[in-house]
Amino acid sequence: MHDRDYVKLQPAQMGFRYVGSVPSEARPLLTRAYESLKRDMGGKWDAQIAAREICWMNIWQEDEEGDTMELSDRALAKELHDWCAVAAGRFAEQGAIMDGYGFVVNPVGSKPQAWHVDYTTDAAAIWIPLTQFTDRNATQFITLPETTPDDVLERVASNVDEVDFAALARGVDHFEVHQIVARPMSVLYMGRGTIHRGISNTGDDNRISFYVSLHFIRDYSVYPYAADERSEKAVVNFND
């Protein structure tokens, strides 16, 4: 299969699905990593929560130019990295390339995100709730009919950072908006090119999740769109 086969958005690949749960022996690892990150961040963690914005705490990224906040406990960091590599092979589609992992926090009182696709048309992800995903805090996503016209898909692909919901609705006879509700330590696979957003957290607790981001294209020099233009405003840079 060639890289060009992963460029075009395909409605059949979009959406979230439940693919299992974190093995019991690995659950303490994710909890330890979360607690370690909070300790490392100190007051910056509290400030980020107080800002009431959905934010990413990237622990590792394949692209070394990205903003990351490596765990200070090196043994823990290696154990986490090794587990993420195994999880990518176990829970993702064949051929997936791990390109990052970390935590996403949706604080109480946050504002909803714009509808978007992560990074590129071939982006996928594994999502693991550390706290309950509920109807008041969890991710929404769109599924499109397989009859979606090519020009509609092209408009989405050309601006993955902010999908025009109204234009999308005008371009198809129908589409569906779904929401994930899931127990902690569930494993959810977000398929390639999924249009999604974090909603305003109107619940009583901050929503914490772990993610492993994935892609399939090996050579982005032939990719026809901007491949790394997602806004970094919500990414916490621990190394400032």
Side-chain angles (χ1 to χ4, degrees):
M1 187 171 288
H2 301 289
D3 285 356
R4 64 178 177 270
D5 297 320
Y6 295 110
V7 170
K8 183 179 177 181
L9 287 171
Q10 299 183 40
Q13 296 172 339
M14 298 177 181
F16 279 70
R17 68 177 186 269
Y18 173 80
V19 292
S21 59
V22 177
S24 57
E25 65 273 14
R27 296 181 182 190
L29 170 62
L30 296 181
T31 302
R32 286 164 48 216
Y34 169 65
E35 295 296 340
S36 178
L37 181 61
K38 284 183 65 176
R39 287 194 301 271
D40 288 347
M41 290 183 65
K44 190 165 187 176
W45 174 273
D46 296 329
Q48 190 65 46
I49 297 300
R52 297 184 179 182
E53 295 181 355
I54 298 173
C55 53
W56 288 259
M57 283 72 167
N58 298 333
I59 294 175
W60 176 83
Q61 286 184 301
E62 180 185 42
D63 180 357
E64 295 182 355
E65 295 180 359
D67 292 328
T68 59
M69 48 184 75
E70 297 179 358
L71 297 175
S72 61
D73 184 333
R74 298 303 183 189
L76 175 61
K78 183 181 186 308
E79 186 180 358
L80 181 65
H81 188 88
D82 292 346
W83 184 83
C84 288
V86 171
R90 177 175 178 178
F91 295 114
E93 299 169 72
Q94 185 175 1
I97 301 167
M98 182 174 76
D99 58 38
Y101 54 80
F103 294 93
V104 176
V105 180
N106 186 355
V108 173
S110 63
K111 296 179 181 179
Q113 294 176 306
W115 289 101
H116 65 281
V117 176
D118 287 342
Y119 299 108
T120 64
T121 55
D122 76 318
I126 295 165
W127 289 95
I128 300 172
L130 268 67
T131 59
Q132 183 80 25
F133 277 20
T134 76
D135 61 323
R136 300 175 67 185
N137 67 28
T139 301
Q140 293 181 332
F141 66 94
I142 290 171
T143 54
L144 296 171
E146 294 193 28
T147 55
T148 300
D150 286 346
D151 65 311
V152 174
L153 294 173
E154 178 64 21
R155 284 197 296 272
V156 173
S158 64
N159 185 13
V160 294
D161 293 341
E162 190 165 350
V163 174
D164 188 331
F165 188 93
L168 188 63
R170 291 192 298 269
V172 295
D173 293 329
H174 82 285
F175 61 78
E176 298 179 6
V177 176
H178 308 261
Q179 187 170 5
I180 287 292
V181 174
R183 293 179 177 176
M185 297 298 171
S186 301
V187 181
L188 308 166
Y189 182 67
M190 184 180 75
R192 280 176 271 164
T194 298
I195 303 168
H196 64 288
R197 69 171 181 174
I199 67 168
S200 176
N201 185 349
T202 61
D204 299 322
D205 301 297
N206 299 320
R207 192 209 74 192
I208 313 296
S209 56
F210 186 77
Y211 76 90
V212 180
S213 59
L214 311 156
H215 69 272
F216 296 82
I217 295 174
R218 293 166 293 278
D219 181 11
Y220 279 101
S221 67
V222 297
Y223 190 68
Y225 312 105
D228 199 16
E229 293 296 321
R230 192 182 71 167
S231 171
E232 293 295 328
K233 292 181 181 178
V235 176
V236 180
N237 185 2
F238 183 52
N239 298 316
D240 283 343

